[in-house]
Amino acid sequence: MVQAVEGMNSLLAVSWTMPPIVLPRSIQIARTLKALGPLGWQSEVISTTVASNVGANIDEEFAKLYLGAYRQHYIEPRESVAASSAWRRLQRRYRPPANLDEANWIERSTRYIIQQCKQRKCDILVTFAQPWIDHSIGLEVRRRRHVPWLAHFSDPWVDSLYYDSSVAEIASKLEVWREQERKIIETADIVVFVTQQTADLVMRKYPPLLSRKVRVVPHGFDRDTLTSPAVVNSSAELRVMYTGNIYAGTRHPVYLFEAVAEMNARSPLAGRLRLDFYGHCPPEVAAKVTELGIGSIVTFHGTVGYLDSLRYAAEADLLLLIDAPSDLSVFLPSKIVDYLMLKKPILALTPSEGASRDVLSPLGHFVVAPTDKSAMIDTLTGIIARHGQGQPLATLKDDVDAFDIKQTTRLFDKALRDAMAVSKQR
């Protein structure tokens, strides 16, 4: 049993993955819990094991940065739980769409949380999505014991533009998910989103009174992860870099590749432009580069460790962001705040209306619609020319401290205390 520290608030968190597994959520949660320590919080995280996440990107060096910042309790979802009426009820409730592993994860995590709350001080439970079943644990805990609960949604769930509701299987799942989301929104004491746009999108289908629960806490960067100083490129070649996975059919740079191919046909770019991608790339996207004849300009390096990706990004002249085409993007990718920490110009392929644009454009970064090849050509042509003349690529405002994890966590700390206050009134 974990002993509570006198004078510290006790926080139990649920997150399917945590470092050394490298995912946007695990990164953000680790740095947030670390920053909560000086604000008077003692945290324990319930997560799955590395063995439960076959094929995950692992970075042990990154995980070392957070040793001692929080305690970790691992639950293996693949192990069967003892048959009980609660477990059978969970199977019926979460199948479909959840599988047996997810039902195990919900029940075993719930049991552990209830046990801990009986044995020691537990001031608040925080569930982090994704995956969304983490919030199902919050529901189960609240059905069995009254514990203050904050549900961190980050991104939209049933309102996500990545779901095709015309597909029967997706439509069936969305019907189940809508009911689950509604119960979570109604039951949690406080609900956290990363952007106001996301909060507005999700909450528009609920009674206005429930919007009182909403808090907006943006992603934050952790300067402790910056182990190498930013590099100034003295070569004639403009180095453009993207760190993260590429997703075929949604967030992909095919339009950018076509723009580069057109530019290359007009005036060869070899020696003047280089695009480096660090992360998983689908074969069909890589094949497009070969088809367009720009293989000497574009290089896919594959998956690397998180800290290595930051080191490579620090060597770039221009950092690349790729969003999915849409009229409005409610997403603020955590990649943006890492880029802002590096103080490098960013070329954001993102809708002209949305959260990413609202952050980047006022700071002087480049914002181009994800499908606007003409604007990409004009923007890159100007950047390459300025680089060749030794001029600054952009005039950036150095106003990024609001995204320092120490600042964003102060907002999260306030949300936690609000949840505790709301819970007392119930």
Side-chain angles (χ1 to χ4, degrees):
M1 182 177 70
V2 177
Q3 296 297 322
V5 176
E6 186 176 355
M8 297 282 282
N9 292 299
S10 176
L11 181 153
L12 272 175
V14 177
S15 175
W16 181 277
T17 58
M18 288 293 290
I21 297 173
V22 177
L23 286 170
R25 281 283 70 211
S26 63
I27 293 170
Q28 285 296 315
I29 296 168
R31 58 182 55 163
T32 296
L33 297 183
K34 174 187 172 185
L36 279 175
L39 298 179
W41 292 92
Q42 180 188 29
S43 301
E44 179 179 1
V45 188
I46 298 141
S47 65
T48 57
T49 62
V50 171
S52 303
N53 295 269
V54 178
N57 185 13
I58 306 298
D59 190 339
E60 297 288 355
E61 182 184 3
F62 169 67
K64 289 178 183 178
L65 294 177
Y66 300 96
L67 288 176
Y70 50 83
R71 297 179 184 271
Q72 197 150 357
H73 180 80
Y74 297 101
I75 288 181
E76 172 54 73
R78 293 178 299 184
E79 296 176 6
S80 297
V81 297
S84 66
S85 59
W87 184 72
R88 287 191 290 270
R89 186 178 69 249
L90 281 168
Q91 284 187 294
R92 291 193 298 270
R93 183 179 299 133
Y94 298 108
R95 295 180 72 187
N99 57 34
L100 184 59
D101 288 351
E102 292 173 350
N104 288 342
W105 163 249
I106 295 168
E107 174 61 14
R108 298 186 75 222
S109 298
T110 299
R111 289 184 184 180
Y112 178 78
I113 293 167
I114 296 295
Q115 178 190 48
Q116 292 302 299
C117 290
K118 288 180 179 179
Q119 295 179 354
R120 64 181 175 94
K121 177 185 176 186
C122 177
D123 290 309
I124 193 165
L125 171 67
V126 181
T127 55
F128 290 97
Q130 295 183 20
W132 305 107
I133 57 168
D134 288 0
H135 293 331
S136 300
I137 295 168
L139 276 177
E140 285 301 312
V141 171
R142 281 293 285 262
R143 285 190 180 97
R144 307 181 200 183
R145 186 181 182 90
H146 188 81
V147 179
W149 175 29
L150 183 150
H152 193 296
F153 272 72
S154 184
D155 294 334
W157 185 1
V158 299
D159 301 289
S160 175
L161 60 87
Y162 297 123
Y163 296 134
D164 185 355
S165 58
S166 65
V167 178
E169 182 182 0
I170 297 297
S172 175
K173 289 182 178 181
L174 283 172
E175 184 178 352
V176 176
W177 293 341
R178 285 191 187 95
E179 179 63 14
Q180 291 177 1
E181 183 191 270
R182 181 188 62 80
K183 290 178 181 178
I184 292 162
I185 295 290
E186 290 177 346
T187 307
D189 297 302
I190 291 292
V191 180
V192 172
F193 298 98
V194 172
T195 71
Q196 187 61 52
Q197 291 92 335
T198 300
D200 292 342
L201 175 66
V202 173
M203 299 304 295
R204 67 184 179 181
K205 59 186 181 293
Y206 297 114
L209 190 63
L210 290 178
S211 293
R212 296 181 181 180
K213 297 183 176 189
V214 171
R215 302 294 184 273
V216 175
V217 181
H219 293 309
F221 58 73
D222 182 0
R223 286 190 169 95
D224 289 344
T225 60
L226 190 55
T227 56
S228 299
V231 177
V232 177
N233 179 19
S234 58
S235 72
E237 191 173 53
L238 177 75
R239 296 176 299 182
V240 182
M241 197 167 298
Y242 177 85
T243 60
N245 295 332
I246 296 173
Y247 300 90
T250 52
R251 301 196 305 272
H252 61 74
V254 172
Y255 291 102
L256 174 65
F257 294 154
E258 291 177 351
V260 169
E262 289 187 28
M263 293 171 62
N264 189 54
R266 297 174 189 174
S267 177
L269 293 173
R272 296 192 297 135
L273 176 67
R274 188 176 86 211
L275 280 71
D276 290 304
F277 290 80
Y278 290 90
H280 172 72
C281 176
E284 57 267 41
V285 175
K288 185 68 174 179
V289 168
T290 302
E291 176 189 329
L292 292 169
I294 54 174
S296 62
I297 300 170
V298 180
T299 304
F300 299 102
H301 298 273
T303 301
V304 298
Y306 175 69
L307 294 182
D308 285 336
S309 74
L310 289 180
R311 294 186 189 109
Y312 294 134
E315 299 173 359
D317 301 304
L318 183 68
L319 297 169
L320 184 63
L321 173 73
I322 305 168
D323 276 339
S326 66
D327 294 330
L328 169 68
S329 174
V330 302
F331 299 98
L332 180 70
S334 58
K335 185 188 318 297
I336 284 183
V337 297
D338 281 342
Y339 283 175
L340 291 176
M341 175 181 66
L342 298 173
K343 300 183 178 180
K344 299 273 188 174
I346 299 168
L347 172 58
L349 307 183
T350 190
S352 56
E353 293 188 27
S356 295
R357 182 267 175 202
D358 290 349
V359 168
L360 295 175
S361 187
L363 295 175
H365 297 279
F366 305 98
V367 175
V368 178
T371 59
D372 192 342
K373 290 193 290 183
S374 177
M376 293 178 197
I377 291 172
D378 290 343
T379 301
L380 278 174
T381 298
I383 293 173
I384 292 171
R386 288 191 291 276
H387 178 72
Q389 296 166 4
Q391 298 177 0
L393 303 187
T395 302
L396 302 180
K397 294 182 180 178
D398 189 16
D399 186 19
V400 299
D401 285 347
F403 297 98
D404 188 307
I405 196 65
K406 295 177 182 178
Q407 298 302 320
T408 61
T409 302
R410 291 185 183 279
L411 298 176
F412 193 69
D413 170 67
K414 177 64 166 56
L416 291 171
R417 298 179 191 278
D418 287 348
M420 292 165 61
V422 169
S423 180
K424 286 182 180 179
Q425 297 171 4
R426 288 192 166 188

